[in-house]
Amino acid sequence: MKDLTQVKGRIFDIQRYSIHDGQGIRTIVFLKGCVLRCRWCCNPESQRYEIETMKVAGKPKIIGRDVTVGEVMETVERDRGYYRRSGGGLTLSGGESLCQPEFAGALLETAVHRGITTAMESMGCAPWEVIESILPWLDTYLMDIKHMDPAKHEAFTGRRNDLMLENARKIAASGMTELVIRVPVIPTFNETPEEIAAIARFAGSLPGVHNIHLLPYHRLGQDKYEGLGREYLMADILPPENEHMEMLKKLVENVSDLECHIGG
């Protein structure tokens, strides 16, 4: 039997004591690599699988390191007491965790065997067989649905959304994990009532889906682009107003039976 603790992967950060990306207090492991190039991405250092150098506060910083599942779990297990009291656990993020399926699966399976609940933030942009292999070890799938129009999705992220929408249907139909839909609300891309309503209707059609999170655009990652020597394409875009987000929340609740939250 394979020793899962020796499976290797590449990460760029581990964040403890998070109250986002899943229930309770969580430890978030950020994996390197992503198939999308979203214009608004706040973790551009996650996109390339390669280890990079990024200037942070004027000083070079190495982004990315190779670790084993066992090494990651040493950090994750430090906060068992917080998980137990808050209902928290381990969350995989990125990048796109499915770009490292063996490592992601081994992390999730090891956590489950050790009694730690699991979640994964993902766009679902991978072959169904990859996702299906991970679902038995996943308590909550936090899935981004960014737009219903394939052409506009491709224009802003680099890829069409057909595969992601189909995977969302399959994940929901499997009944193997709690599926939560998350929508980054991005001005000029998907912030209109018509666009958000279309996503809400799709999410509401998925069996077993009860929650949708609207995540307002922010520019907190803008300095990272300069540190990587890359252009930030959303520099002139302002975050949506609180009143607009509240209007969209009410709209989602009017066109679907979903419970809608701002932030996630």
Side-chain angles (χ1 to χ4, degrees):
M1 184 176 179
K2 186 172 185 178
D3 183 358
L4 295 178
T5 64
Q6 296 306 305
V7 175
K8 292 183 178 181
R10 183 166 292 174
I11 67 173
F12 67 95
D13 197 13
I14 299 179
Q15 180 181 323
R16 298 167 67 193
Y17 314 122
S18 175
I19 56 172
H20 303 289
D21 301 313
Q23 181 181 349
I25 296 173
R26 311 197 68 81
T27 297
I28 306 178
V29 180
F30 293 87
L31 279 64
K32 263 282 209 173
C34 188
V35 293
L36 301 185
R37 293 295 181 267
C38 302
R39 294 185 189 180
W40 60 89
C41 180
C42 62
N43 288 329
E45 74 275 33
S46 75
Q47 294 178 348
R48 295 170 181 160
Y49 178 74
E50 294 78 19
I51 294 174
E52 302 174 89
T53 300
M54 179 173 72
K55 282 190 176 181
V56 178
K59 297 181 180 180
K61 179 181 179 181
I62 301 299
I63 304 295
R65 58 190 173 100
D66 294 330
V67 294
T68 65
V69 167
E71 289 170 337
V72 173
M73 290 305 298
E74 286 180 10
T75 300
V76 172
E77 295 218 52
R78 292 178 193 171
D79 299 316
R80 275 186 173 273
Y82 294 111
Y83 308 151
R84 185 170 58 251
R85 290 191 290 272
S86 69
L90 166 68
T91 297
L92 302 188
S93 187
E96 169 57 77
S97 302
L98 298 175
C99 289
Q100 298 186 55
E102 183 184 12
F103 180 58
L107 272 171
L108 295 171
E109 184 174 351
T110 300
V112 169
H113 287 321
R114 297 186 186 184
I116 297 173
T117 63
T118 60
M120 181 173 69
E121 181 187 14
S122 164
M123 286 79 71
C125 190
W128 169 244
E129 294 74 20
V130 169
I131 297 174
E132 190 176 30
S133 70
I134 287 175
L135 290 182
W137 315 110
L138 192 57
D139 293 306
T140 304
Y141 199 127
L142 304 165
M143 186 174 187
D144 277 13
I145 300 292
K146 307 177 194 299
H147 211 287
M148 294 305 297
D149 182 337
K152 194 167 187 181
H153 192 280
E154 183 175 22
F156 277 74
T157 73
R159 288 215 180 185
R160 291 170 60 90
N161 59 357
D162 308 79
L163 175 62
M164 304 168 210
L165 297 180
E166 182 59 28
N167 282 335
R169 295 185 186 97
K170 290 179 177 178
I171 294 165
S174 77
M176 296 177 68
T177 184
E178 177 192 20
L179 179 60
V180 176
I181 300 302
R182 311 211 310 176
V183 185
V185 179
I186 313 297
T188 72
F189 173 55
N190 68 353
E191 69 164 345
T192 69
E194 294 78 13
E195 289 166 316
I196 296 298
I199 297 172
R201 291 189 183 98
F202 172 78
S205 74
L206 300 173
V209 171
H210 305 293
N211 291 279
I212 185 169
H213 297 173
L214 302 180
L215 312 179
Y217 164 73
H218 59 76
R219 296 189 292 190
L220 297 180
Q222 183 171 348
D223 291 345
K224 296 180 180 180
Y225 287 82
E226 182 178 350
L228 290 167
R230 295 168 55 187
E231 181 184 5
Y232 184 63
L233 298 176
M234 306 285 285
D236 297 328
I237 304 301
L238 297 176
E241 299 286 345
N242 291 339
E243 293 79 4
H244 187 71
M245 293 301 301
E246 290 292 341
M247 180 273 290
L248 294 178
K249 178 178 183 293
K250 292 178 182 177
L251 172 68
V252 169
E253 293 171 341
N254 285 336
V255 302
S256 72
D257 294 327
L258 299 171
E259 185 173 337
C260 185
H261 307 266
I262 297 175

